[in-house]
Coordinates of all heavy atoms in Angstrom, one line a residue:
D26 N -14.2 38.7 12.7 CA -14.9 39.4 11.7 C -16.4 39.2 11.9 O -17.2 40.2 11.7 CB -14.5 39.0 10.3 CG -13.1 39.4 10.0 OD1 -12.5 40.3 10.7 OD2 -12.5 38.9 9.0
G74 N -28.6 30.1 6.7 CA -29.4 29.3 7.6 C -29.1 29.4 9.0 O -29.6 28.6 9.8
P81 N -26.6 41.2 19.2 CA -27.1 42.0 20.3 C -28.6 42.3 20.1 O -29.3 42.9 21.0 CB -26.3 43.3 20.3 CG -25.7 43.3 18.9 CD -25.6 41.9 18.4
N82 N -29.2 42.0 19.0 CA -30.6 42.2 18.7 C -31.4 40.9 18.8 O -32.5 40.8 18.4 CB -30.8 42.8 17.3 CG -30.2 44.1 17.2 OD1 -30.5 45.0 18.0 ND2 -29.3 44.3 16.2
S92 N -18.8 34.3 24.9 CA -17.9 35.4 25.0 C -16.6 34.9 24.4 O -16.3 33.7 24.4 CB -17.7 35.9 26.5 OG -17.2 34.8 27.3
G109 N -12.7 12.9 30.1 CA -12.5 12.9 31.5 C -13.5 12.1 32.3 O -14.0 12.5 33.3
A113 N -8.5 9.2 36.7 CA -7.3 8.7 36.2 C -7.1 9.1 34.7 O -6.0 9.2 34.2 CB -7.2 7.2 36.4
E122 N -12.6 21.1 37.6 CA -14.1 21.1 37.7 C -14.5 21.3 39.2 O -15.4 22.1 39.5 CB -14.7 19.9 37.1 CG -16.2 19.9 37.0 CD -16.7 18.9 35.9 OE1 -16.0 18.6 35.0 OE2 -17.9 18.5 36.1
A130 N -20.1 28.2 43.9 CA -21.0 28.1 45.0 C -20.7 29.2 46.0 O -21.7 29.8 46.5 CB -20.7 26.7 45.8
S154 N -31.9 19.8 31.4 CA -32.7 18.6 31.2 C -32.1 17.4 31.7 O -32.7 16.5 32.3 CB -33.0 18.5 29.7 OG -33.7 19.6 29.1
E172 N -34.1 -0.3 45.3 CA -34.8 -1.5 44.8 C -35.1 -1.3 43.3 O -35.0 -2.3 42.5 CB -36.1 -1.7 45.5 CG -35.9 -2.3 46.9 CD -37.3 -2.5 47.6 OE1 -38.3 -2.5 46.9 OE2 -37.3 -2.7 48.8
Q180 N -44.5 1.6 40.5 CA -45.5 2.5 39.9 C -46.2 3.4 40.8 O -47.0 4.2 40.4 CB -46.5 1.6 39.0 CG -45.8 0.9 37.9 CD -45.1 1.9 36.9 OE1 -45.6 2.9 36.5 NE2 -43.9 1.5 36.5
P221 N -48.1 26.7 47.2 CA -47.7 25.7 48.2 C -48.9 24.9 48.8 O -48.8 23.7 49.0 CB -46.9 26.4 49.2 CG -46.4 27.6 48.6 CD -47.5 28.0 47.6
E222 N -50.0 25.7 49.1 CA -51.1 25.0 49.7 C -51.8 24.0 48.8 O -52.3 22.9 49.2 CB -52.2 26.1 50.1 CG -53.0 26.7 49.0 CD -52.3 27.9 48.3 OE1 -51.1 28.1 48.6 OE2 -52.9 28.6 47.5
N251 N -40.6 33.8 33.7 CA -39.5 34.0 34.7 C -40.1 34.1 36.2 O -39.6 34.8 37.0 CB -38.7 35.3 34.4 CG -37.3 35.2 34.9 OD1 -36.8 34.1 35.3 ND2 -36.6 36.3 35.0
I259 N -42.0 25.5 49.6 CA -41.9 24.2 48.9 C -41.0 23.2 49.5 O -41.2 22.1 49.7 CB -41.6 24.4 47.4 CG1 -42.7 25.2 46.7 CG2 -41.4 23.1 46.7 CD1 -42.3 25.7 45.3
A275 N -32.4 27.4 35.7 CA -31.6 27.4 34.5 C -31.1 28.7 34.0 O -29.9 28.8 33.9 CB -32.5 26.8 33.4
V318 N -25.4 19.0 44.2 CA -26.2 18.0 45.0 C -25.8 18.1 46.5 O -24.6 18.4 46.8 CB -26.0 16.6 44.5 CG1 -24.6 16.1 44.7 CG2 -27.0 15.6 45.0
E333 N -14.2 -3.9 34.7 CA -12.8 -4.2 35.0 C -11.9 -3.2 34.3 O -10.9 -2.8 34.9 CB -12.5 -5.6 34.5 CG -11.1 -6.1 34.8 CD -10.9 -6.3 36.3 OE1 -11.8 -6.7 37.0 OE2 -9.8 -6.0 36.8
L362 N -12.9 24.0 31.6 CA -11.9 24.9 31.1 C -12.6 26.3 30.6 O -12.1 27.3 31.0 CB -11.2 24.3 29.9 CG -9.9 23.7 30.2 CD1 -9.3 23.1 28.9 CD2 -8.9 24.7 30.8
Y371 N -13.4 37.7 33.5 CA -14.3 38.8 34.0 C -14.1 39.1 35.5 O -14.3 40.2 35.9 CB -15.8 38.3 33.8 CG -16.2 38.4 32.4 CD1 -16.3 37.3 31.6 CD2 -16.7 39.6 31.8 CE1 -16.7 37.3 30.2 CE2 -17.1 39.7 30.5 CZ -17.1 38.5 29.7 OH -17.5 38.5 28.4
H379 N -22.2 43.0 34.3 CA -23.0 42.8 33.1 C -24.4 42.2 33.4 O -25.4 42.6 32.7 CB -22.3 41.8 32.2 CG -21.1 42.5 31.5 ND1 -21.3 43.4 30.5 CD2 -19.8 42.4 31.7 CE1 -20.1 43.8 30.1 NE2 -19.2 43.2 30.8
S387 N -33.8 45.9 31.3 CA -35.1 45.3 31.4 C -36.1 46.3 32.1 O -37.3 46.4 31.7 CB -35.1 44.0 32.1 OG -34.3 43.1 31.4
F390 N -37.0 49.0 29.6 CA -38.0 48.5 28.6 C -39.4 48.4 29.3 O -40.4 48.8 28.7 CB -37.6 47.1 28.1 CG -38.3 46.7 26.8 CD1 -37.9 47.1 25.6 CD2 -39.4 45.9 26.9 CE1 -38.6 46.8 24.4 CE2 -40.1 45.5 25.8 CZ -39.7 45.9 24.6
W466 N -37.5 48.8 20.5 CA -38.7 49.3 21.0 C -39.3 50.3 19.9 O -40.5 50.2 19.6 CB -38.5 50.1 22.3 CG -39.8 50.8 22.7 CD1 -39.9 52.2 22.9 CD2 -41.0 50.2 23.1 NE1 -41.2 52.5 23.4 CE2 -41.9 51.3 23.5 CE3 -41.5 48.9 23.1 CZ2 -43.2 51.1 23.9 CZ3 -42.8 48.7 23.5 CH2 -43.6 49.8 23.9

Side-chain angles (χ1 to χ4, degrees):
D26 289 344
N82 296 305
S92 62
E122 187 162 330
S154 301
E172 285 180 16
Q180 293 304 313
E222 73 278 9
N251 209 16
I259 295 170
V318 68
E333 187 64 35
L362 265 178
Y371 286 97
H379 287 287
S387 302
F390 194 83
W466 176 241

